[in-house]
Amino acid sequence: MSQDVLLRRISRMKKLVWLLVLALLGWDPPQAHAQTARRNVASLYQELCANCHGPDLRGGQARSLLDDEWVHGSGDDATLFAVIRDGDELNGMPPWKNVLSDEEIRALVIYIREKATEARHAATRYAQPRPDQVVGSKLHRFRVRTVAEGLAAPWSMAWLPDGTMLVTELPGRLRLVREGRLLPEAVKGLPEVRYRGQGGLMEVAVHPGYATNGWIYLAYSEPGRDQQGRDVSMTTLIRGRLRGLTWADSEIVWRAPLWSFRPGNIHFGCRIAFGPDGYLYFSHGERGHGPDAQDLRRPNGKIHRIHDDGRIPADNPFVGQPETFPSIWSYGHRNPQGLAFHPVTGELWETEHGPRGGDELNLIVRGRNYGWPVITYGMNYDGTPITAHTAAEGMEQPVVHWTPSIAVCGMDFYRGERFPLWRHHLFVTGLASQELRRLEIRGHAVAEQEILFKGIGRVRHVATGPDGYLYVALNGPDRIIRLEPADQ
Ligand code: HEC
């Protein structure tokens, strides 16, 4: 060993001893991004920013970050990011790039958006309609009428040609509302579902050719046991027919191979939409395993396309490629819980429940990658960052994202006649935000958003009924309501 190397080793050891002593004294080394990447955003804010911008972000020695008035640019994400990273020292804003990682700066931008939205909601009055109360909105006055009460976690609804409404209840029951009355007994003979966490009986859909074939489709979390004996589950699709109140002719339409089932009970998806091309599309959540969404060998975190009986269409994008799952239509999805075809353009739209921030509305294109978890506008629920990246080459951008999250769930294009000015507008639900939103889509963009009501329960799903009313499934209390024009 040369003297040089020896000296270097000794000096490195000295440094280590010093670091150990300092660590014992409670000293944090500066610029230690790697070790501190999991710091919580709220405590970062209080520690580093509250002195000047105020503990509630309302300003103090420095400006308010809540008033949506910005001295730097238009206050867009990229500008805020740059100001926090590089500072504006001439005007008293220190640079933070030596203290904070890019991921943490991104989390602070999300945090500022959350607090600003909270402040705006606190200052805005939204309609909280009671039954039969008339509600004003930009384009139509409406009232809400309760259609069915006493349900347990209603998840989805669909209609038979005779007007009977089918409603799924998450605990595993399929209920019928016939001539305005919820039948007290549930459909008998459904398969076992795993009702845990977010799982259970979720989607119900009626085949477009129901009048001749009688097929009804269900999607649910199917329980399994893996080779280590762990409880696992995955989204499964079946179809069957109703004989009276009995589920008959049941057959499996799509089921993941057992090796791909995942433990945990979150992010199942799962909506079904029949395309104008005659194929069945459905969404599958990533089951709480983010990287699976990028793995084409696995079915979770994807939108799938199959024949109505489960066969794989020969022109699916990954058919014939080795080590891919042939029903995949698009990938990189987190928890897509809304899926519908535009009634005029026939394009497929999707809503996707993001992490904390970064709920998305996407236009789904064959074979494309929607980025989760490599890019996202959100952060972890505990306020630690996921990534600094919101965009990347070869990955799709959402049409809009909701940051902070509204906890987006189901959606539907309005297809009825009763609200003429709402025709073909997109209605989107929020669970945590307890809101129903109307989005006017122009081309591939959202021209306008309006919150129609807020604060009367978690909004799980929305669908146009065959009678032209807009039906909404609410949790807490669990019920189905419908919007009726107030002027008719
Ligand atoms: C020493 C006081 C001080 C601290 C600490 C501080 N800021 Fe600032 N900040 C300022 C001042 C002053 C400005 C306004 C600069 C200007 O007028 O150009 C500012 C501007 C900003 C802006 C841009 C506002 C606009 O209108 O464009 C953002 C965003 C911001 N700060 C975020 C933060 C964050 C996040 C932290 C903590 C990591 C932080 N600041 C810590 C003083 C501070």
Side-chain angles (χ1 to χ4, degrees), residues 44-45 47-53 61-65 67 69-73 75 79-81 83-84 88 90-94 96 100 105 108-109 112:
L44 276 183
Y45 178 85
E47 191 186 319
L48 304 175
C49 325
N51 272 344
C52 295
H53 292 287
Q61 179 186 334
R63 343 174 20 88
S64 166
L65 299 172
D67 56 7
E69 286 171 23
W70 305 101
V71 289
H72 295 89
T79 307
L80 293 198
F81 186 95
V83 176
I84 300 171
D88 178 0
L90 288 178
N91 291 300
M93 167 68 175
W96 296 99
L100 297 173
I105 294 172
L108 278 162
V109 173
I112 292 169

Side-chain angles (χ1 to χ4, degrees), residues 231-472:
D231 278 341
V232 289
S233 58
M234 208 67 161
T235 303
T236 292
L237 265 67
I238 59 171
R239 67 178 180 182
R241 299 190 173 96
L242 273 186
R243 288 244 168 77
L245 277 181
T246 301
W247 184 252
D249 306 332
S250 191
E251 45 185 64
I252 288 181
V253 176
W254 187 94
R255 172 194 263 158
L258 185 60
W259 65 261
S260 70
F261 275 44
R262 284 296 197 182
N265 297 294
I266 57 171
H267 307 172
F268 289 94
C270 49
R271 292 285 174 198
I272 295 173
F274 287 94
D277 56 5
Y279 293 108
L280 185 163
Y281 293 74
F282 71 95
S283 60
H284 197 311
E286 39 77 306
R287 299 288 291 99
H289 296 260
D292 287 5
Q294 293 293 323
D295 185 346
L296 290 172
R297 290 167 303 187
R298 290 186 173 271
N300 41 330
K302 314 289 177 345
I303 309 283
H304 297 265
R305 175 183 186 248
I306 54 178
H307 284 278
D308 63 358
D309 60 0
R311 281 173 302 123
I312 309 290
D315 60 346
N316 268 8
F318 301 105
V319 160
Q321 293 187 26
E323 306 234 353
T324 57
F325 209 87
S327 54
I328 294 174
W329 183 251
S330 64
Y331 63 110
H333 300 291
R334 185 177 182 273
N335 194 18
Q337 299 186 90
L339 197 65
F341 283 90
H342 190 287
V344 178
T345 67
E347 290 167 319
L348 183 59
W349 292 71
E350 173 243 30
T351 41
E352 183 167 326
H353 198 132
R356 180 167 160 190
D359 283 352
E360 296 181 354
L361 172 68
N362 288 306
L363 181 62
I364 301 297
V365 178
R366 178 183 190 276
R368 299 275 173 90
N369 181 357
Y370 289 77
W372 174 255
V374 181
I375 55 170
T376 174
Y377 285 88
M379 63 181 164
N380 290 311
Y381 287 109
D382 63 4
T384 57
I386 295 174
T387 168
H389 303 293
T390 54
E393 186 68 30
M395 295 185 182
E396 301 305 306
Q397 281 293 301
V399 176
V400 289
H401 68 93
W402 292 281
T403 306
S405 297
I406 60 173
V408 68
C409 194
M411 62 173 228
D412 196 19
F413 290 96
Y414 179 67
R415 297 152 195 270
E417 307 284 345
R418 302 214 188 235
F419 295 104
L421 301 177
W422 286 354
R423 219 169 137 71
H424 303 156
H425 288 199
L426 182 65
F427 289 78
V428 167
T429 64
L431 289 164
S433 60
Q434 302 200 352
E435 64 195 31
L436 180 70
R437 274 182 190 242
R438 178 183 63 82
L439 274 58
E440 190 183 339
I441 308 280
R442 272 203 214 122
H444 290 169
V446 174
E448 182 182 69
Q449 294 197 44
E450 181 187 22
I451 296 176
L452 289 180
F453 61 73
K454 190 175 180 71
I456 58 168
R458 291 162 64 79
V459 191
R460 172 68 64 186
H461 195 35
V462 57
T464 312
D467 50 16
Y469 296 122
L470 196 60
Y471 286 75
V472 182

